Amino acid sequence: MLGRTLPIGPPQRRFPDAAMLAAMTSIFDFSPAQVAELARADAARAVAEDVGGGDLTAGLVPDGRRVRARVTAREAAVICGAPWVDATLRQVQPQLQSRWQVAEGQRCSAGQVVLEVEGPARGLLTAERTSLNFLQLLSAVATKTARYVDAVRGTRAQIVDTRKTLPGLRLAQKYAVRTGGGTNHRIGLHDAVLIKENHIAAAGGVRPVLAAAARVAAQARFVEIEVETLAQLVEALEAGAQMVLLDNMDLPTLREAVRINAGRAVLEISGGVTLDGLRALAETGVDRISVGALTKDVKATDFSMRLQEL
């Protein structure tokens, strides 16, 4: 509503109770049934945004005409987004039938047909762009993730996503990271504690903020603290930190951090991670490498759809 000021501070209950948190996080287990429901909701919103009151152009095609379409990959990719494509087709026209030629999570090559769709021409034309949008975005995330996962194979490091996602499509993008072989970090602010430098400054230091976090640890999947120096790492470990984010450290400092840690806490690298330098980071011995670029800096995978009349 125009003119309304939305609250930006914490509510009266600063953290949800355990039952509430369990209810929220249970939504995000990415089981097939829950992925299907997520895809249905995303598709309904996307179709409403695109179609509005009706597809003026598809209406030019004679009613009742049936077509078959083939979706072809124009580049190699990891296929991801089938639940969203299928949900979009059903949302627009339940009579549309899809036959996937490449399964979810499998790799395709350039020029390969990945999907065939058959049904009413009007419905397929209306669903085309939204279906491809989902397929192009989610396949791009899965493909990029797979490249990063391949680069660290043989080390102990996991590739982890972040909250740097497209508004409204976080869960879909995190699903795509999983499909590409990556690991999800926290879903949002509600399911885990990640203490960053501004939290440390506002709370009065590493020890005070970790003491405060200990009081809510039972409500969170994990508590993690970001450090920028080895001195902060030592302080965090002495204060009982079990998960530490090493922010923007060079390779020698990272190796020393791993030595100091000696297996006491889970160590994660963040900041300035690129594919070129990824293997060297993984070989320092850290447990996790978080990469915002998996979901933030994504170039859509190129697919084309071509129709023929039946």
Side-chain angles (χ1 to χ4, degrees):
M1 182 182 300
L2 291 177
R4 181 184 176 191
T5 301
L6 297 176
I8 59 173
Q12 285 187 329
R13 289 184 63 87
R14 187 169 182 137
F15 295 95
D17 60 32
M20 185 185 300
L21 187 65
M24 288 190 297
T25 56
S26 68
I27 297 172
F28 308 132
D29 69 1
F30 296 99
S31 66
Q34 291 184 338
V35 167
E37 178 58 26
L38 171 65
R40 186 205 62 76
D42 287 344
R45 188 174 66 250
V47 169
E49 176 183 64
D50 196 34
V51 178
D55 184 345
L56 296 176
T57 312
L60 305 177
V61 176
D63 190 21
R65 181 158 295 174
R66 293 178 60 83
V67 294
R68 177 184 296 122
R70 289 186 174 89
V71 177
T72 302
R74 288 181 169 169
E75 57 187 309
V78 174
I79 293 298
C80 183
W84 281 261
V85 173
D86 290 343
T88 300
L89 296 174
R90 287 193 296 269
Q91 176 74 22
V92 173
Q93 173 52 264
Q95 296 178 42
L96 290 170
Q97 300 294 319
S98 61
R99 293 184 296 276
W100 288 91
Q101 307 301 305
V102 180
E104 188 84 338
Q106 299 301 304
R107 297 175 188 256
C108 69
S109 56
Q112 186 172 0
V113 174
V114 301
L115 171 65
E116 293 183 350
V117 184
E118 188 174 312
R122 285 185 177 183
L124 185 51
L125 289 166
T126 297
E128 175 184 0
R129 183 69 267 155
T130 299
S131 297
L132 288 178
N133 284 348
F134 281 125
L135 184 62
Q136 290 176 318
L137 170 65
L138 299 183
S139 293
V141 173
T143 302
K144 190 167 192 176
T145 301
R147 291 194 189 104
Y148 278 72
V149 170
D150 288 344
V152 303
R153 199 172 303 282
T155 72
R156 66 183 294 119
Q158 295 179 320
I159 298 299
V160 183
D161 59 22
T162 71
R163 288 168 50 235
K164 296 175 182 177
T165 55
L166 295 177
L169 288 175
R170 175 170 297 173
L171 293 177
Q173 287 192 281
K174 284 184 173 283
Y175 165 86
V177 168
R178 285 173 169 241
T179 301
T183 300
N184 295 147
H185 207 281
R186 57 180 176 167
I187 297 297
L189 299 174
H190 57 79
D191 65 326
V193 175
L194 176 52
I195 304 163
K196 299 180 78 72
E197 70 173 298
N198 285 337
H199 298 102
I200 295 171
V206 168
R207 289 180 180 273
V209 77
L210 281 173
R215 295 193 289 271
V216 299
Q219 299 171 299
R221 290 196 298 114
F222 58 81
V223 174
E224 184 173 18
I225 185 167
E226 177 185 272
V227 301
E228 297 178 314
T229 66
L230 294 178
Q232 278 190 325
L233 171 62
V234 171
E235 186 178 7
L237 292 172
E238 290 177 348
Q242 296 182 342
M243 194 170 183
V244 180
L245 184 69
L246 307 172
D247 185 45
N248 282 303
M249 293 184 179
D250 59 23
L251 289 173
T253 306
L254 288 170
R255 295 188 191 101
E256 181 62 12
V258 171
R259 188 195 68 79
I260 291 170
N261 181 58
R264 285 179 284 177
V266 173
L267 293 184
E268 179 178 327
I269 290 175
S270 178
V273 176
T274 65
L275 189 58
D276 289 342
L278 187 62
R279 183 74 189 188
L281 293 175
E283 289 176 345
T284 63
V286 297
D287 303 287
R288 293 154 59 100
I289 303 175
S290 54
V291 186
L294 298 180
T295 52
K296 180 173 69 76
D297 302 328
V298 178
K299 177 182 177 294
T301 303
D302 194 1
F303 294 95
S304 67
M305 179 184 287
R306 291 291 181 265
L307 276 65
Q308 63 181 62
E309 186 177 355
L310 293 177

